[in-house]
């Protein structure tokens, strides 16, 4: 027969166990969904997401961040279903693989009661997300053009290598051209290079074969810029003040700027670390007594030799 003390101890043990279960159930579960990295920028984003996960979970023991990357839109849609049905998430941070196919899956997550933060690529239906975090695409184009206007003179010639035909690319290109207009700088041609090194190399080869006088190149993206530089060096046309302006903040480009590279002297920031900003803000939606919902558009900072060190992350794959 159990004594009163034994029964009391068992009751206390039971209460502790129940308390522990309650604590576990009280965890704030946040799903983080993004495409499987297939190029340098996405690899950098993945790295920053993992770093943010470690930092935020250490800072907030009651926060559980669940990172999932997906190789295609269908797989990402399935991953979102699992985050709701299996993990019962309280919030979702999502960088859609593509806007249209992910709109309904994200809407379904919203209907479960979860907070929604969308990163970079907006959904095709407005108003689903509570928070939108992205780089400033028009500003990326505008800042790039402003730098070129400061370096070049009336009558100088440039060529433009664009990204993938998307809204993002149009926003960058249109803002660049609007800023260049009236400057006297001649845009000889512009072609899509799909944010790809090999395409950048091939498009630049074509430009070099057709235009004997090119003073500068707007590559828009660092992967494209690397292909452009390879083409310039192969053709022996990297001298005479030639320069290339890319964008995003790839670490090897930033290191070159720190070291005084004259061919790529500056860069315009479009940070893969925006995923970490989105994760921080989403956690704050549960931890802060201040408003978080809305739009968070990151600036397109001009990276020069003077400030490059602040944007250099040697451990990052990007």
């Amino acid at each position: 027969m159990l004594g009163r003390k034994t029964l009391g101890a068992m009751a206390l043990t039971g209460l502790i166990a129940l308390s522990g279960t309650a604590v576990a159930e009280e965890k704030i579960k946040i799903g983080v969904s993004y495409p499987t990295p297939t190029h340098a920028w996405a690899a950098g984003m993945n790295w920053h997401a993992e770093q943010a996960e470690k930092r935020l979970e250490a800072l907030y023991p009651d926060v559980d961040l669940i990172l999932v990357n997906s190789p295609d839109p269908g797989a990402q849609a399935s991953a979102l279903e699992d985050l709701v049905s299996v993990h019962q998430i309280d919030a979702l941070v999502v960088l859609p693989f593509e806007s249209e196919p992910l709109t309904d899956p994200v809407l379904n997550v919203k209907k479960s009661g979860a907070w929604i933060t969308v990163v970079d690529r907006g959904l095709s239906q407005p108003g689903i997300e509570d928070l939108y975090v992205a780089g400033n695409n028009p500003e990326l184009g505008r800042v790039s053009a402003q730098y070129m206007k400061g370096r070049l003179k009336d009558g100088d010639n440039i060529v433009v290598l664009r990204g993938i035909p998307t809204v993002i690319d149009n926003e960058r290109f249109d803002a660049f051209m609007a800023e260049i207009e009236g400057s006297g700088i001649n845009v000889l041609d512009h072609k899509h290079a799909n944010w790809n090194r090999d395409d950048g190399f091939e498009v630049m080869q074509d430009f070099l074969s057709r235009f004997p006088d090119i003073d500068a190149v707007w590559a828009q993206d660092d992967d494209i810029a690397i292909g452009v530089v390879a083409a310039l060096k192969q053709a022996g046309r990297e001298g005479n003040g030639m320069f290339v302006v890319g964008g995003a903040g790839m670490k090897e480009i930033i290191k070159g700027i720190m070291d005084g590279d004259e061919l790529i002297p500056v860069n315009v920031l479009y940070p893969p670390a925006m995923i970490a900003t989105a994760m921080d803000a989403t956690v704050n939606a549960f931890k802060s007594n201040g408003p978080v919902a809305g739009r968070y558009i990151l600036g397109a900072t001009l990276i020069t030799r003077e400030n490059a060190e602040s944007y250099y992350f040697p451990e990052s794959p990007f």
Side-chain angles (χ1 to χ4, degrees):
M1 187 171 180
L2 295 172
R4 186 175 297 174
K5 287 185 179 179
T6 304
L7 287 170
M10 289 176 63
L12 181 59
T13 302
L15 284 171
I16 291 171
L18 286 170
S19 175
T21 302
V23 168
E25 289 174 351
E26 288 172 5
K27 278 219 172 194
I28 301 165
K29 294 182 179 181
I30 301 173
V32 183
S33 171
Y34 49 89
T36 300
T38 56
H39 58 280
W41 190 90
M45 178 191 61
N46 183 71
W47 183 83
H48 282 288
E50 291 173 347
Q51 297 303 304
E53 176 189 26
K54 295 173 187 175
R55 172 174 52 78
L56 288 167
E57 289 186 344
L59 185 61
Y60 301 109
D62 62 336
V63 169
D64 181 16
L65 288 151
I66 305 156
L67 272 57
V68 183
N69 64 68
S70 306
D72 56 63
Q76 189 173 26
S78 296
L80 296 187
E81 290 180 8
D82 288 345
L83 286 169
V84 173
S85 62
V86 177
H87 297 283
Q88 299 179 341
I89 57 172
D90 301 292
L92 172 68
V93 177
V94 58
L95 194 157
F97 202 104
E98 294 175 8
S99 299
E100 183 68 36
L102 271 301
T103 295
D104 282 344
V106 174
L107 178 58
N108 289 335
V109 178
K110 176 71 171 179
K111 289 176 179 177
S112 75
W115 168 282
I116 304 294
T117 298
V118 173
V119 184
D120 191 35
R121 300 167 194 167
L123 301 171
S124 60
Q125 178 181 328
I128 295 174
E129 71 273 9
D130 298 282
L131 176 66
Y132 178 64
V133 178
N136 192 327
N137 288 290
E139 189 178 355
L140 186 148
R142 189 162 46 251
V143 169
S144 300
Q146 288 169 349
Y147 177 78
M148 288 199 158
K149 285 166 62 177
R151 281 281 306 264
L152 300 173
K153 61 184 185 299
D154 188 359
D156 281 346
N157 300 317
I158 66 172
V159 291
V160 173
L161 289 86
R162 303 180 60 173
I164 294 171
T166 56
V167 172
I168 287 174
D169 174 73
N170 290 339
E171 288 177 343
R172 294 176 179 183
F173 177 73
D174 291 348
F176 179 88
M177 295 300 288
E179 186 68 31
I180 286 292
E181 186 176 2
S183 67
I185 297 169
N186 303 312
V187 180
L188 300 175
D189 199 0
H190 58 87
K191 291 180 69 174
H192 290 283
N194 305 312
W195 298 320
N196 180 278
R197 296 185 190 197
D198 292 338
D199 290 353
F201 179 78
E202 292 176 7
V203 171
M204 194 63 207
Q205 278 188 317
D206 172 62
F207 286 158
L208 291 169
S209 69
R210 292 192 288 123
F211 303 117
D213 182 18
I214 301 174
D215 299 292
V217 181
W218 183 43
Q220 193 197 102
D221 170 82
D222 290 339
D223 276 311
I224 295 176
I226 289 171
V228 167
V229 167
L232 287 169
K233 289 183 176 180
Q234 184 185 74
R237 290 176 61 177
E238 73 273 24
N240 299 319
M242 167 67 75
F243 66 92
V244 179
V245 177
M250 183 183 291
K251 68 176 181 181
E252 60 189 283
I253 301 293
I254 302 303
K255 184 63 167 63
I257 293 170
M258 290 166 61
D259 294 340
D261 187 349
E262 294 183 358
L263 193 54
I264 305 183
V266 298
N267 197 257
V268 183
L269 188 65
Y270 195 82
M274 67 175 68
I275 191 78
T277 302
M279 292 165 69
D280 282 330
T282 303
V283 170
N284 279 338
F286 295 88
K287 294 294 185 180
S288 172
N289 65 339
V292 176
R295 293 172 61 84
Y296 195 116
I297 306 301
L298 302 170
T301 305
L302 182 68
I303 301 173
T304 65
R305 193 172 186 182
E306 288 70 33
N307 66 1
E309 189 174 358
S310 299
Y311 303 97
Y312 182 56
F313 300 97
E315 301 86 3
S316 170
F318 179 75

